[in-house]
Amino acid sequence: MALALPVLAWLAWPVHSLAVHRLRAVLVCVWALLFAADAVVRAYLLDAYRAAPDSTVVLAAAANTTAREAGEYLSMHWRALAVGAGLVAAALWLVARSARSGVRAAVPWPRWGVALVCLLLLPSVLGYASKPWRRLHPVAFWVQWNGSVHALRQGWRDQAAQRDVALERAKAAAPVLRHTGPSTVVLVVTDSINRDNMGLYGYARDTTPRLQSMQALLGDDMVVLRHAWSVDASTVESLRNIFGFGEHAAAMASSAAGPGGAASIGEGLHAIALARAAGYKVWWMSNHDDVAIEQEHARLADVVDMVNRTPGRAGASLDGELLDCLQEALDDPAERKLIVLHLMGAHPHYRLRFPRGENPFDDTADAVDVQLAGQGRPAWVRRFRHEYDAALLYHDFVVSETLQLARQGARPGEYRAWMYLSDHGQEVGHGSDRAGHSPSTASGYRIPAIVWRNQAAQPVSATMGHAPFRTDWAGWTLADVLRIDWPGAQPERNVLHPLYRWQPPVLPPGVVSFTD
């Protein structure tokens, strides 16, 4: 308001020319439109994501979003868009009406009126004199914001040097394998799966019948981590922590703590580079068309296969397209293989994450519908929940098939393992009347995580699956699943190791218990 006030106060200055009067009206309306739109965008980001427009999470999302994706996002959140547009229109109407009746003839002002205007304009003078305030002007701020987004996107496109450094660091870490025979490890990283919607984790709907059958068949060899959490509510940040041994999260905590903050713990290692340095041939197979993820992670692999060729997360490519790719990689004669599958999971739009017409949850009301109605969730949220659960049912088919394929065809004495986790959760009417990514509620961080091995390195205890798990420590568990040792390994951060020691992360929603 301090920055907007000078031009608004111009309406009180008398002008005699009709042309100048009209010009003033247009300029004041444009000026008000800029500030009103800026306010609405900031309010929406603060309410939905507890984030400022120039925060890391917003800049990364914008840099990683195409025009088509932006349109898809707006089509899903059209209600918020309509409310914001209404507020901007109301503000513009009010200012336009005031502008039309701006002062035309000189009117004597009382002294108290002059003093009041001067007093009101004083914050404006201070605001424009202060660089931190001045940078918040909509024109200056959004021009700089756009430059930051372009710079971030350009940095992602030119990361060959960083990948070379990652490989050199991995070699310098001198990793060694505990297993001398053939090894095959399948890592399934999915997107936007909330464990609260999985029958495997106690959900009322039968969304994971295949995984539950696999659990009954495999017993203790299939460790379901009951209390798994992501430390990020967005994909780019989460994958950095998963494959970077939590270095990104530690750096953020260190920055927040100031000069005395803790140093990063990952020594600059990347899990894929470490696997290659240890002798694994690595595949990255993805149903995402994502430049950031491809440049930061996928291109570190020996073989890259991006099956989704359509930019935008509303593409119709289903995760089942990756099953044939997985089989081809499993048939490869390499002695040691790490196969990374990056699934779309249940990322919005939910209705496109399962085959058309295969939604068994939208026919009749069930206990979940009754619960949502009792919580006062609107009809559109309940509809999204139906679609989300249908996406999880299809996801169950794909994930269970990857496990089944990983178990089949092992050579004599071959070590095989399979690890599955989601990058972050999803809010679909669990704690609020909204659907989508949610940094502000616990649902945005509640994820599934499962590990299967045909030869467990350590005896599986009855309580192993009940230990809390965090994604920024997932690299240590993955290294153990790969049976890689190196001098910098930290078994206390590996959920499968007897020396594991849980430390709760600090999450924006302020989660009190990590074992619920």
Side-chain angles (χ1 to χ4, degrees):
M1 180 57 68
L3 297 175
L5 192 57
V7 171
L8 298 179
W10 186 20
L11 293 175
W13 189 265
V15 295
H16 300 285
S17 168
L18 178 60
V20 174
H21 175 73
R22 290 175 175 173
L23 176 62
R24 178 177 65 177
V26 171
L27 293 177
V28 169
C29 287
V30 171
W31 183 267
L33 178 63
L34 291 173
F35 278 90
D38 174 83
V40 166
V41 171
R42 289 177 180 275
Y44 172 74
L45 292 174
L46 186 63
D47 177 67
Y49 302 108
R50 292 186 180 179
D54 53 350
S55 64
T56 301
V57 63
V58 174
L59 288 174
N64 197 37
T65 300
T66 64
R68 176 175 176 175
E69 289 177 306
E72 293 160 3
Y73 178 86
L74 293 176
S75 69
M76 181 175 181
H77 297 276
W78 63 268
R79 294 170 182 83
L81 179 64
V83 171
L87 292 172
V88 172
L92 187 59
W93 175 83
L94 181 62
V95 172
R97 185 170 181 178
S98 301
R100 284 196 300 269
S101 55
V103 177
R104 293 287 305 279
V107 178
W109 278 37
R111 291 184 177 180
W112 64 267
V114 175
L116 180 61
V117 170
C118 292
L119 184 63
L120 290 175
L121 290 176
L122 180 59
S124 299
V125 175
L126 297 176
Y128 280 97
S130 169
K131 185 176 181 180
W133 283 30
R134 195 167 61 245
R135 289 173 57 187
L136 293 176
H137 191 286
V139 174
F141 179 86
W142 291 106
V143 168
Q144 183 178 3
W145 183 89
N146 186 59
S148 298
V149 169
H150 282 287
L152 186 58
R153 188 179 291 128
Q154 183 61 38
W156 282 339
R157 290 172 179 168
D158 186 23
Q159 291 199 345
Q162 288 89 331
R163 292 195 294 269
D164 291 340
V165 169
L167 290 170
E168 290 301 320
R169 285 177 177 170
K171 293 176 183 177
V176 295
L177 292 173
R178 297 194 303 269
H179 183 77
T180 56
S183 301
T184 298
V185 176
V186 177
L187 172 64
V188 180
V189 180
T190 189
D191 198 325
S192 302
I193 303 297
N194 185 337
R195 54 181 157 91
D196 289 341
N197 290 71
M198 300 178 71
L200 182 66
Y201 284 82
Y203 186 48
R205 283 177 174 165
D206 192 18
T207 55
T208 55
R210 292 172 178 261
L211 283 175
Q212 288 171 261
S213 296
M214 297 291 285
Q215 184 187 34
L217 174 67
L218 299 174
D220 290 342
D221 288 341
M222 179 175 164
V223 180
V224 178
L225 299 172
R226 294 287 168 184
H227 309 295
W229 296 83
S230 176
V231 299
D232 302 284
S234 61
T235 298
V236 173
E237 300 298 315
S238 183
L239 292 188
R240 284 175 180 166
N241 278 316
I242 289 172
F243 291 105
F245 296 89
E247 180 181 0
H248 182 68
M252 292 298 98
S254 176
S255 175
S264 63
I265 59 174
E267 301 174 354
L269 292 180
H270 193 289
I272 293 177
L274 189 71
R276 288 186 58 185
Y280 278 90
K281 181 178 179 180
V282 181
W283 282 257
W284 183 286
M285 301 172 172
S286 177
N287 194 28
H288 286 254
D289 184 67
D290 193 301
V291 63
I293 295 170
E294 180 180 356
Q295 292 299 314
E296 289 191 29
H297 309 290
R299 291 299 165 185
L300 279 166
D302 298 284
V303 180
V304 179
D305 194 351
M306 315 292 281
V307 301
N308 187 352
R309 305 299 183 186
T310 304
R313 294 191 174 101
S317 177
L318 295 174
D319 285 335
E321 299 292 329
L322 288 171
L323 294 176
D324 288 340
C325 301
L326 172 59
Q327 185 62 66
E328 292 177 7
L330 290 169
D331 292 339
D332 189 274
E335 184 77 359
R336 300 182 183 88
K337 295 178 283 190
L338 168 60
I339 306 168
V340 181
L341 299 178
H342 188 203
L343 307 183
M344 192 72 83
H347 193 289
H349 298 299
Y350 308 136
R351 68 181 183 277
L352 299 179
R353 303 298 161 240
F354 57 92
R356 184 184 297 273
E358 295 189 15
N359 184 349
F361 304 114
D362 62 354
D363 297 329
T364 57
D366 57 12
V368 173
D369 283 295
V370 173
Q371 180 185 29
L372 292 173
Q375 294 171 338
R377 303 296 182 227
W380 65 272
V381 170
R382 300 200 298 272
R383 176 172 59 82
F384 277 137
R385 176 68 76 89
H386 295 325
E387 295 174 354
Y388 185 76
D389 289 345
L392 262 68
L393 182 60
Y394 176 73
H395 184 68
D396 172 69
F397 156 70
V398 175
V399 173
S400 62
E401 281 296 301
T402 65
L403 175 54
Q404 185 68 12
L405 290 173
R407 293 177 57 239
Q408 295 174 348
R411 291 166 284 183
E414 181 179 4
Y415 167 70
R416 288 213 170 187
W418 174 90
M419 182 173 176
Y420 160 80
L421 75 163
S422 182
D423 55 2
H424 55 78
Q426 195 82 172
E427 175 65 68
V428 194
H430 300 90
S432 64
D433 293 338
R434 61 184 306 270
H437 293 48
S438 183
S440 59
T441 66
S443 297
Y445 303 86
R446 297 171 68 87
I447 63 166
I450 308 172
V451 177
W452 168 83
R453 295 163 294 174
N454 66 351
Q455 305 168 20
Q458 304 286 343
V460 178
S461 67
T463 60
M464 180 177 289
H466 295 278
F469 169 84
R470 48 191 285 183
T471 50
D472 58 330
W473 288 5
W476 309 103
T477 301
L478 175 60
D480 182 50
V481 170
L482 290 164
R483 295 193 167 182
I484 296 176
D485 284 328
W486 76 100
Q490 298 191 32
E492 66 273 14
R493 301 194 172 195
N494 168 20
V495 71
L496 302 177
H497 199 280
L499 297 178
Y500 180 65
R501 296 294 179 267
W502 166 252
Q503 296 177 18
V506 178
L507 300 181
V511 176
V512 176
S513 174
F514 288 89
T515 57
D516 59 358

